[in-house]
Amino acid sequence: MSLPRHLRAFTAAAVATVLTLGTAQLAAGAPPAPTSASTTSTASAASVVAASAPLLPTDEQLRAALLTTAELGPDFTEVPVDPNPSPEAGASPVAGCDALRALLNRNPSGASAQGPHQEAQFDGPDGSPMVTESLSAEEASRLDADFATVSGAFADCHSITFTDNTGAAVTFSVTPIALGDRAGAPAVRLDGDLAGVRLNGYLGIERLGEVALAYGYFQRDSDDSQLASLYYRAAVAKAERTLGVKAGATAGSPGTATGSPGTSAAPGSAV
């Protein structure tokens, strides 16, 4: 028995939104267009900011920082991620948790300022457990706002219901937890039941400089958090090594390592 299809739809929705973070910033938050009188000074200021801002990691560097089957173990298989999912593959109808629901129902297709982004999904035997990871890079102030939005949505959510197009529904209780070693990293545990089948999941986000790491772990017929926490720590540790940034660090903070991005540890050493 594989993981229920609507739980996979929920996973896709959660990962595509919570883990991508800033892809769909509201246009209302953008600064107003400069008038002709201010164009020169605005351009000069922008050039100074651009010159001083650190370069974002590339897609290739983010890809190298993701977990692989070599780190998760031989029971896992990587599942190709559809870069252009059809509307049918999007979020299931969601009830409860207004802030999180708004994020899950948000359509990122109109975003023009999407930065480098890579994601991976892995299935265990018969589709359970399922591990998802996403790395997204964007300018620091935008990431600050996006990270705060998702953190708030996690904190304010206590129960959320997903319904697929057949009418099957599953309600998850949502509980704040600590997935990793760093205090304050936003994470939640989800527990639900579908026709007597126990469903359990974990979502966590982490900040590494100008990169957001988003993680999901979903399983059937178990509520043991040990592997969920183990793989989360592995994901954070590998991203730290590969990108040269400590978890929790913001751009330019003391947590930023001096090594150049793209230096990866040997496969298998994260777990």
Side-chain angles (χ1 to χ4, degrees):
M1 177 182 176
S2 62
L3 210 61
R5 181 169 56 84
H6 50 280
L7 184 58
R8 287 181 173 274
F10 154 63
T11 304
V15 170
T17 306
V18 176
L19 304 200
T20 303
L21 290 175
T23 349
Q25 272 289 310
L26 296 177
T35 62
S36 57
S38 63
T39 300
T40 301
S41 60
T42 301
S44 298
S47 64
V48 171
V49 172
S52 62
L55 293 176
L56 296 178
T58 65
D59 283 316
E60 291 74 18
Q61 289 169 334
L62 294 181
R63 170 56 58 179
L66 290 171
L67 289 175
T68 67
T69 52
E71 282 123 3
L72 292 174
D75 290 338
F76 283 90
T77 302
E78 184 167 3
V79 179
V81 177
D82 186 355
N84 299 296
S86 63
E88 290 77 14
S92 303
V94 183
C97 295
D98 291 346
L100 186 56
R101 183 176 75 243
L103 286 171
L104 292 172
N105 290 335
R106 190 172 62 175
N107 178 13
S109 60
S112 59
Q114 180 175 0
H117 171 78
Q118 291 291 306
E119 60 188 275
Q121 176 181 318
F122 306 91
D123 279 2
D126 295 323
S128 179
M130 177 164 50
V131 177
T132 60
E133 184 189 4
S134 169
L135 292 170
S136 303
E138 60 181 356
E139 183 270 333
S141 62
R142 184 185 295 270
L143 185 54
D144 288 342
D146 293 336
F147 202 83
T149 297
V150 178
S151 298
F154 275 13
D156 294 338
C157 185
H158 304 290
S159 176
I160 190 165
T161 299
F162 296 85
T163 306
D164 73 3
N165 55 16
T166 70
V170 56
T171 296
F172 290 95
S173 62
V174 183
T175 308
I177 59 167
L179 266 181
D181 299 318
R182 190 177 73 82
V188 291
R189 170 180 174 140
L190 303 101
D191 291 283
D193 181 278
L194 178 66
V197 177
R198 186 167 58 216
L199 303 175
N200 174 240
Y202 302 84
L203 292 175
I205 57 174
E206 187 61 84
R207 175 77 180 268
L208 300 101
E210 293 182 317
V211 173
L213 181 155
Y215 169 88
Y217 181 96
F218 304 88
Q219 60 189 346
R220 179 192 68 246
D221 291 326
S222 176
D223 55 9
D224 189 348
S225 63
Q226 184 175 359
L227 282 180
S229 180
L230 178 68
Y231 293 140
Y232 175 81
R233 287 178 166 90
V236 173
K238 183 175 183 181
E240 285 180 327
R241 291 193 305 270
T242 307
L243 301 174
V245 180
K246 294 296 291 180
T250 56
S253 73
T256 302
T258 56
S260 60
T263 302
S264 179
S269 61
V271 177

